[in-house]
PDB file of all heavy atoms in Angstrom:
ATOM      1  N   LEU L  72      62.093   3.176   3.311  1.00 93.00           N
ATOM      2  CA  LEU L  72      62.471   4.500   3.201  1.00 93.00           C
ATOM      3  C   LEU L  72      64.058   4.690   3.174  1.00 93.00           C
ATOM      4  O   LEU L  72      64.500   5.460   2.460  1.00 93.00           O
ATOM      5  CB  LEU L  72      61.979   5.244   4.636  1.00 93.00           C
ATOM      6  CG  LEU L  72      60.558   5.831   4.547  1.00 93.00           C
ATOM      7  CD1 LEU L  72      60.165   6.248   5.887  1.00 93.00           C
ATOM      8  CD2 LEU L  72      60.449   6.961   3.575  1.00 93.00           C
ATOM      9  N   MET L  73      64.700   3.858   3.941  1.00 94.00           N
ATOM     10  CA  MET L  73      66.117   3.920   3.925  1.00 94.00           C
ATOM     11  C   MET L  73      66.722   3.478   2.529  1.00 94.00           C
ATOM     12  O   MET L  73      67.682   4.148   2.075  1.00 94.00           O
ATOM     13  CB  MET L  73      66.759   3.117   5.064  1.00 94.00           C
ATOM     14  CG  MET L  73      66.587   3.707   6.401  1.00 94.00           C
ATOM     15  SD  MET L  73      67.329   2.775   7.743  1.00 94.00           S
ATOM     16  CE  MET L  73      66.513   1.316   7.730  1.00 94.00           C
ATOM     17  N   THR L  74      66.166   2.426   2.153  1.00 95.00           N
ATOM     18  CA  THR L  74      66.685   1.929   0.909  1.00 95.00           C
ATOM     19  C   THR L  74      66.431   3.037  -0.360  1.00 95.00           C
ATOM     20  O   THR L  74      67.282   3.091  -1.247  1.00 95.00           O
ATOM     21  CB  THR L  74      65.984   0.562   0.490  1.00 95.00           C
ATOM     22  OG1 THR L  74      66.216  -0.294   1.725  1.00 95.00           O
ATOM     23  CG2 THR L  74      66.552  -0.085  -0.725  1.00 95.00           C
ATOM     24  N   THR L  75      65.171   3.490  -0.375  1.00 94.00           N
ATOM     25  CA  THR L  75      64.922   4.471  -1.548  1.00 94.00           C
ATOM     26  C   THR L  75      65.689   5.724  -1.330  1.00 94.00           C
ATOM     27  O   THR L  75      65.935   6.268  -2.220  1.00 94.00           O
ATOM     28  CB  THR L  75      63.376   4.759  -1.493  1.00 94.00           C
ATOM     29  OG1 THR L  75      63.013   5.164  -0.212  1.00 94.00           O
ATOM     30  CG2 THR L  75      62.681   3.494  -2.039  1.00 94.00           C
ATOM     31  N   ALA L  76      66.002   6.098  -0.106  1.00 93.00           N
ATOM     32  CA  ALA L  76      66.805   7.377   0.096  1.00 93.00           C
ATOM     33  C   ALA L  76      68.075   7.054  -0.489  1.00 93.00           C
ATOM     34  O   ALA L  76      68.747   7.953  -1.106  1.00 93.00           O
ATOM     35  CB  ALA L  76      66.886   7.657   1.563  1.00 93.00           C
ATOM     36  N   VAL L  77      68.752   5.965  -0.203  1.00 94.00           N
ATOM     37  CA  VAL L  77      70.061   5.601  -0.734  1.00 94.00           C
ATOM     38  C   VAL L  77      70.080   5.537  -2.306  1.00 94.00           C
ATOM     39  O   VAL L  77      70.908   6.006  -2.999  1.00 94.00           O
ATOM     40  CB  VAL L  77      70.678   4.300  -0.092  1.00 94.00           C
ATOM     41  CG1 VAL L  77      71.974   3.750  -0.868  1.00 94.00           C
ATOM     42  CG2 VAL L  77      71.004   4.567   1.378  1.00 94.00           C
ATOM     43  N   ALA L  78      69.075   4.820  -2.761  1.00 94.00           N
ATOM     44  CA  ALA L  78      68.878   4.589  -4.232  1.00 94.00           C
ATOM     45  C   ALA L  78      68.650   6.042  -4.793  1.00 94.00           C
ATOM     46  O   ALA L  78      69.216   6.356  -5.942  1.00 94.00           O
ATOM     47  CB  ALA L  78      67.799   3.691  -4.524  1.00 94.00           C
ATOM     48  N   LEU L  79      67.796   6.890  -4.266  1.00 92.00           N
ATOM     49  CA  LEU L  79      67.685   8.283  -4.897  1.00 92.00           C
ATOM     50  C   LEU L  79      68.890   9.115  -4.898  1.00 92.00           C
ATOM     51  O   LEU L  79      69.208   9.763  -5.860  1.00 92.00           O
ATOM     52  CB  LEU L  79      66.557   9.011  -4.032  1.00 92.00           C
ATOM     53  CG  LEU L  79      65.894  10.219  -4.606  1.00 92.00           C
ATOM     54  CD1 LEU L  79      65.250   9.917  -5.959  1.00 92.00           C
ATOM     55  CD2 LEU L  79      64.881  10.849  -3.641  1.00 92.00           C
ATOM     56  N   LEU L  80      69.726   8.946  -3.777  1.00 92.00           N
ATOM     57  CA  LEU L  80      70.985   9.741  -3.914  1.00 92.00           C
ATOM     58  C   LEU L  80      71.912   9.069  -4.835  1.00 92.00           C
ATOM     59  O   LEU L  80      72.614   9.844  -5.563  1.00 92.00           O
ATOM     60  CB  LEU L  80      71.643   9.524  -2.448  1.00 92.00           C
ATOM     61  CG  LEU L  80      72.894  10.183  -2.201  1.00 92.00           C
ATOM     62  CD1 LEU L  80      72.824  11.676  -2.232  1.00 92.00           C
ATOM     63  CD2 LEU L  80      73.592   9.862  -0.938  1.00 92.00           C
ATOM     64  N   ALA L  81      71.858   7.811  -4.994  1.00 92.00           N
ATOM     65  CA  ALA L  81      72.811   7.210  -6.111  1.00 92.00           C
ATOM     66  C   ALA L  81      72.291   7.572  -7.619  1.00 92.00           C
ATOM     67  O   ALA L  81      73.029   7.902  -8.441  1.00 92.00           O
ATOM     68  CB  ALA L  81      72.623   5.765  -6.032  1.00 92.00           C
ATOM     69  N   VAL L  82      70.901   7.679  -7.687  1.00 92.00           N
ATOM     70  CA  VAL L  82      70.424   8.058  -8.996  1.00 92.00           C
ATOM     71  C   VAL L  82      70.737   9.592  -9.332  1.00 92.00           C
ATOM     72  O   VAL L  82      70.987   9.890 -10.555  1.00 92.00           O
ATOM     73  CB  VAL L  82      68.853   7.838  -9.047  1.00 92.00           C
ATOM     74  CG1 VAL L  82      68.136   8.544 -10.159  1.00 92.00           C
ATOM     75  CG2 VAL L  82      68.624   6.334  -9.151  1.00 92.00           C
ATOM     76  N   THR L  83      70.602  10.397  -8.401  1.00 89.00           N
ATOM     77  CA  THR L  83      70.814  11.757  -8.613  1.00 89.00           C
ATOM     78  C   THR L  83      72.378  12.126  -8.871  1.00 89.00           C
ATOM     79  O   THR L  83      72.736  12.866  -9.655  1.00 89.00           O
ATOM     80  CB  THR L  83      70.362  12.647  -7.517  1.00 89.00           C
ATOM     81  OG1 THR L  83      70.787  12.261  -6.232  1.00 89.00           O
ATOM     82  CG2 THR L  83      68.876  12.676  -7.339  1.00 89.00           C
ATOM     83  N   ASP L  84      73.176  11.286  -8.145  1.00 89.00           N
ATOM     84  CA  ASP L  84      74.597  11.446  -8.389  1.00 89.00           C
ATOM     85  C   ASP L  84      74.935  10.960  -9.762  1.00 89.00           C
ATOM     86  O   ASP L  84      75.898  11.446 -10.396  1.00 89.00           O
ATOM     87  CB  ASP L  84      75.492  10.683  -7.296  1.00 89.00           C
ATOM     88  CG  ASP L  84      75.454  11.461  -6.126  1.00 89.00           C
ATOM     89  OD1 ASP L  84      75.151  12.651  -6.013  1.00 89.00           O
ATOM     90  OD2 ASP L  84      75.841  10.976  -4.975  1.00 89.00           O
ATOM     91  N   ALA L  85      74.347   9.789 -10.248  1.00 88.00           N
ATOM     92  CA  ALA L  85      74.565   9.294 -11.553  1.00 88.00           C
ATOM     93  C   ALA L  85      74.078  10.014 -12.672  1.00 88.00           C
ATOM     94  O   ALA L  85      74.432   9.833 -13.830  1.00 88.00           O
ATOM     95  CB  ALA L  85      74.183   7.854 -11.585  1.00 88.00           C
ATOM     96  N   GLY L  86      73.194  10.963 -12.362  1.00 87.00           N
ATOM     97  CA  GLY L  86      72.651  11.831 -13.500  1.00 87.00           C
ATOM     98  C   GLY L  86      71.551  11.111 -14.277  1.00 87.00           C
ATOM     99  O   GLY L  86      71.256  11.342 -15.314  1.00 87.00           O
ATOM    100  N   ALA L  87      70.752  10.178 -13.645  1.00 84.00           N
ATOM    101  CA  ALA L  87      69.669   9.566 -14.182  1.00 84.00           C
ATOM    102  C   ALA L  87      68.402   9.927 -13.569  1.00 84.00           C
ATOM    103  O   ALA L  87      67.828   9.185 -12.706  1.00 84.00           O
ATOM    104  CB  ALA L  87      69.856   8.066 -14.085  1.00 84.00           C
ATOM    105  N   PRO L  88      67.778  11.033 -13.822  1.00 82.00           N
ATOM    106  CA  PRO L  88      66.611  11.584 -13.225  1.00 82.00           C
ATOM    107  C   PRO L  88      65.359  10.798 -13.522  1.00 82.00           C
ATOM    108  O   PRO L  88      64.318  11.049 -12.830  1.00 82.00           O
ATOM    109  CB  PRO L  88      66.495  12.986 -13.619  1.00 82.00           C
ATOM    110  CG  PRO L  88      67.190  13.094 -15.139  1.00 82.00           C
ATOM    111  CD  PRO L  88      68.304  11.985 -14.950  1.00 82.00           C
ATOM    112  N   GLY L  89      65.320   9.918 -14.444  1.00 87.00           N
ATOM    113  CA  GLY L  89      64.121   9.188 -14.850  1.00 87.00           C
ATOM    114  C   GLY L  89      63.727   8.241 -13.866  1.00 87.00           C
ATOM    115  O   GLY L  89      62.458   7.877 -13.791  1.00 87.00           O
ATOM    116  N   TRP L  90      64.689   7.853 -12.914  1.00 87.00           N
ATOM    117  CA  TRP L  90      64.241   6.959 -11.867  1.00 87.00           C
ATOM    118  C   TRP L  90      63.620   7.701 -10.642  1.00 87.00           C
ATOM    119  O   TRP L  90      63.041   7.004  -9.714  1.00 87.00           O
ATOM    120  CB  TRP L  90      65.422   6.172 -11.377  1.00 87.00           C
ATOM    121  CG  TRP L  90      65.834   4.989 -12.422  1.00 87.00           C
ATOM    122  CD1 TRP L  90      66.706   5.108 -13.330  1.00 87.00           C
ATOM    123  CD2 TRP L  90      65.235   3.799 -12.598  1.00 87.00           C
ATOM    124  NE1 TRP L  90      66.808   3.953 -14.153  1.00 87.00           N
ATOM    125  CE2 TRP L  90      65.887   3.190 -13.591  1.00 87.00           C
ATOM    126  CE3 TRP L  90      64.221   3.057 -11.833  1.00 87.00           C
ATOM    127  CZ2 TRP L  90      65.592   1.776 -13.998  1.00 87.00           C
ATOM    128  CZ3 TRP L  90      63.961   1.771 -12.277  1.00 87.00           C
ATOM    129  CH2 TRP L  90      64.537   1.166 -13.361  1.00 87.00           C
ATOM    130  N   ALA L  91      63.816   8.950 -10.511  1.00 89.00           N
ATOM    131  CA  ALA L  91      63.474   9.742  -9.304  1.00 89.00           C
ATOM    132  C   ALA L  91      62.008   9.592  -8.961  1.00 89.00           C
ATOM    133  O   ALA L  91      61.670   9.357  -7.738  1.00 89.00           O
ATOM    134  CB  ALA L  91      63.883  11.079  -9.484  1.00 89.00           C
ATOM    135  N   PRO L  92      61.113   9.736  -9.859  1.00 90.00           N
ATOM    136  CA  PRO L  92      59.462   9.703  -9.677  1.00 90.00           C
ATOM    137  C   PRO L  92      59.232   8.245  -9.123  1.00 90.00           C
ATOM    138  O   PRO L  92      58.462   8.187  -8.064  1.00 90.00           O
ATOM    139  CB  PRO L  92      58.835   9.962 -10.951  1.00 90.00           C
ATOM    140  CG  PRO L  92      59.779  10.691 -11.786  1.00 90.00           C
ATOM    141  CD  PRO L  92      61.153  10.251 -11.337  1.00 90.00           C
ATOM    142  N   LEU L  93      59.773   7.220  -9.664  1.00 91.00           N
ATOM    143  CA  LEU L  93      59.396   5.909  -9.085  1.00 91.00           C
ATOM    144  C   LEU L  93      59.969   5.720  -7.732  1.00 91.00           C
ATOM    145  O   LEU L  93      59.261   5.200  -6.852  1.00 91.00           O
ATOM    146  CB  LEU L  93      60.178   4.828  -9.968  1.00 91.00           C
ATOM    147  CG  LEU L  93      59.903   3.459  -9.489  1.00 91.00           C
ATOM    148  CD1 LEU L  93      58.452   3.028  -9.559  1.00 91.00           C
ATOM    149  CD2 LEU L  93      60.758   2.388 -10.256  1.00 91.00           C
ATOM    150  N   LEU L  94      61.156   6.225  -7.370  1.00 92.00           N
ATOM    151  CA  LEU L  94      61.942   6.031  -6.072  1.00 92.00           C
ATOM    152  C   LEU L  94      61.104   6.925  -5.066  1.00 92.00           C
ATOM    153  O   LEU L  94      60.873   6.550  -3.874  1.00 92.00           O
ATOM    154  CB  LEU L  94      63.236   6.556  -6.184  1.00 92.00           C
ATOM    155  CG  LEU L  94      64.196   5.439  -6.837  1.00 92.00           C
ATOM    156  CD1 LEU L  94      65.665   5.938  -7.156  1.00 92.00           C
ATOM    157  CD2 LEU L  94      64.165   4.163  -6.223  1.00 92.00           C
ATOM    158  N   VAL L  95      60.519   8.122  -5.501  1.00 91.00           N
ATOM    159  CA  VAL L  95      59.701   9.011  -4.597  1.00 91.00           C
ATOM    160  C   VAL L  95      58.503   8.172  -4.273  1.00 91.00           C
ATOM    161  O   VAL L  95      57.962   8.297  -3.037  1.00 91.00           O
ATOM    162  CB  VAL L  95      59.382  10.325  -5.228  1.00 91.00           C
ATOM    163  CG1 VAL L  95      58.491  11.175  -4.457  1.00 91.00           C
ATOM    164  CG2 VAL L  95      60.730  11.128  -5.479  1.00 91.00           C
ATOM    165  N   LEU L  96      57.795   7.632  -5.238  1.00 92.00           N
ATOM    166  CA  LEU L  96      56.639   6.744  -4.814  1.00 92.00           C
ATOM    167  C   LEU L  96      56.923   5.687  -3.854  1.00 92.00           C
ATOM    168  O   LEU L  96      56.186   5.404  -2.983  1.00 92.00           O
ATOM    169  CB  LEU L  96      56.082   6.240  -6.168  1.00 92.00           C
ATOM    170  CG  LEU L  96      55.196   7.234  -7.041  1.00 92.00           C
ATOM    171  CD1 LEU L  96      54.775   6.519  -8.404  1.00 92.00           C
ATOM    172  CD2 LEU L  96      54.034   7.768  -6.274  1.00 92.00           C
ATOM    173  N   LEU L  97      57.937   5.053  -4.064  1.00 92.00           N
ATOM    174  CA  LEU L  97      58.380   4.004  -3.111  1.00 92.00           C
ATOM    175  C   LEU L  97      58.670   4.534  -1.689  1.00 92.00           C
ATOM    176  O   LEU L  97      58.267   4.016  -0.725  1.00 92.00           O
ATOM    177  CB  LEU L  97      59.738   3.280  -3.609  1.00 92.00           C
ATOM    178  CG  LEU L  97      59.458   2.246  -4.718  1.00 92.00           C
ATOM    179  CD1 LEU L  97      60.786   1.592  -5.247  1.00 92.00           C
ATOM    180  CD2 LEU L  97      58.522   1.065  -4.238  1.00 92.00           C
ATOM    181  N   ALA L  98      59.246   5.665  -1.799  1.00 91.00           N
ATOM    182  CA  ALA L  98      59.631   6.384  -0.315  1.00 91.00           C
ATOM    183  C   ALA L  98      58.270   6.666   0.306  1.00 91.00           C
ATOM    184  O   ALA L  98      58.077   6.453   1.445  1.00 91.00           O
ATOM    185  CB  ALA L  98      60.489   7.547  -0.658  1.00 91.00           C
ATOM    186  N   MET L  99      57.285   7.181  -0.618  1.00 91.00           N
ATOM    187  CA  MET L  99      55.940   7.568   0.014  1.00 91.00           C
ATOM    188  C   MET L  99      55.151   6.216   0.564  1.00 91.00           C
ATOM    189  O   MET L  99      54.597   6.389   1.567  1.00 91.00           O
ATOM    190  CB  MET L  99      55.134   8.187  -0.943  1.00 91.00           C
ATOM    191  CG  MET L  99      55.652   9.615  -1.439  1.00 91.00           C
ATOM    192  SD  MET L  99      55.637  10.660   0.027  1.00 91.00           S
ATOM    193  CE  MET L  99      54.044  11.058   0.066  1.00 91.00           C
ATOM    194  N   SER L 100      55.395   5.163  -0.133  1.00 89.00           N
ATOM    195  CA  SER L 100      54.761   3.931   0.428  1.00 89.00           C
ATOM    196  C   SER L 100      55.481   3.398   1.583  1.00 89.00           C
ATOM    197  O   SER L 100      54.736   2.927   2.567  1.00 89.00           O
ATOM    198  CB  SER L 100      54.790   2.807  -0.730  1.00 89.00           C
ATOM    199  OG  SER L 100      56.152   2.453  -0.984  1.00 89.00           O
ATOM    200  N   GLY L 101      56.791   3.742   1.726  1.00 89.00           N
ATOM    201  CA  GLY L 101      57.431   3.361   3.015  1.00 89.00           C
ATOM    202  C   GLY L 101      56.922   4.353   4.200  1.00 89.00           C
ATOM    203  O   GLY L 101      56.730   3.991   5.352  1.00 89.00           O
ATOM    204  N   LEU L 102      56.688   5.557   3.765  1.00 88.00           N
ATOM    205  CA  LEU L 102      56.186   6.448   4.867  1.00 88.00           C
ATOM    206  C   LEU L 102      54.853   6.143   5.344  1.00 88.00           C
ATOM    207  O   LEU L 102      54.449   6.216   6.557  1.00 88.00           O
ATOM    208  CB  LEU L 102      56.102   7.906   4.216  1.00 88.00           C
ATOM    209  CG  LEU L 102      55.695   9.014   5.288  1.00 88.00           C
ATOM    210  CD1 LEU L 102      56.946   9.048   6.284  1.00 88.00           C
ATOM    211  CD2 LEU L 102      55.757  10.338   4.524  1.00 88.00           C
ATOM    212  N   VAL L 103      53.908   5.695   4.398  1.00 86.00           N
ATOM    213  CA  VAL L 103      52.611   5.178   4.695  1.00 86.00           C
ATOM    214  C   VAL L 103      52.552   3.897   5.640  1.00 86.00           C
ATOM    215  O   VAL L 103      51.937   3.794   6.676  1.00 86.00           O
ATOM    216  CB  VAL L 103      51.846   4.887   3.367  1.00 86.00           C
ATOM    217  CG1 VAL L 103      50.487   4.088   3.768  1.00 86.00           C
ATOM    218  CG2 VAL L 103      51.522   6.145   2.739  1.00 86.00           C
ATOM    219  N   LEU L 104      53.691   3.054   5.334  1.00 84.00           N
ATOM    220  CA  LEU L 104      53.840   1.872   6.107  1.00 84.00           C
ATOM    221  C   LEU L 104      54.264   2.265   7.578  1.00 84.00           C
ATOM    222  O   LEU L 104      53.977   1.612   8.582  1.00 84.00           O
ATOM    223  CB  LEU L 104      54.670   0.883   5.555  1.00 84.00           C
ATOM    224  CG  LEU L 104      54.167   0.137   4.421  1.00 84.00           C
ATOM    225  CD1 LEU L 104      55.199  -0.868   3.796  1.00 84.00           C
ATOM    226  CD2 LEU L 104      53.056  -0.887   4.962  1.00 84.00           C
TER     227      LEU L 104
END
């Protein structure tokens, strides 16, 4: 969860929204764990 939150912040700051759905899925898997 922490890693994907940082990566999602970096992706949104860099302006690359294509990675956001994958990172959201990773964050959801962290939430399930």
Side-chain angles (χ1 to χ4, degrees):
L72 274 171
M73 290 185 295
T74 305
T75 54
V77 169
L79 192 58
L80 184 63
V82 163
T83 54
D84 283 347
W90 288 94
L93 177 66
L94 291 173
V95 168
L96 285 175
L97 282 173
M99 292 300 286
S100 63
L102 187 63
V103 167
L104 282 173

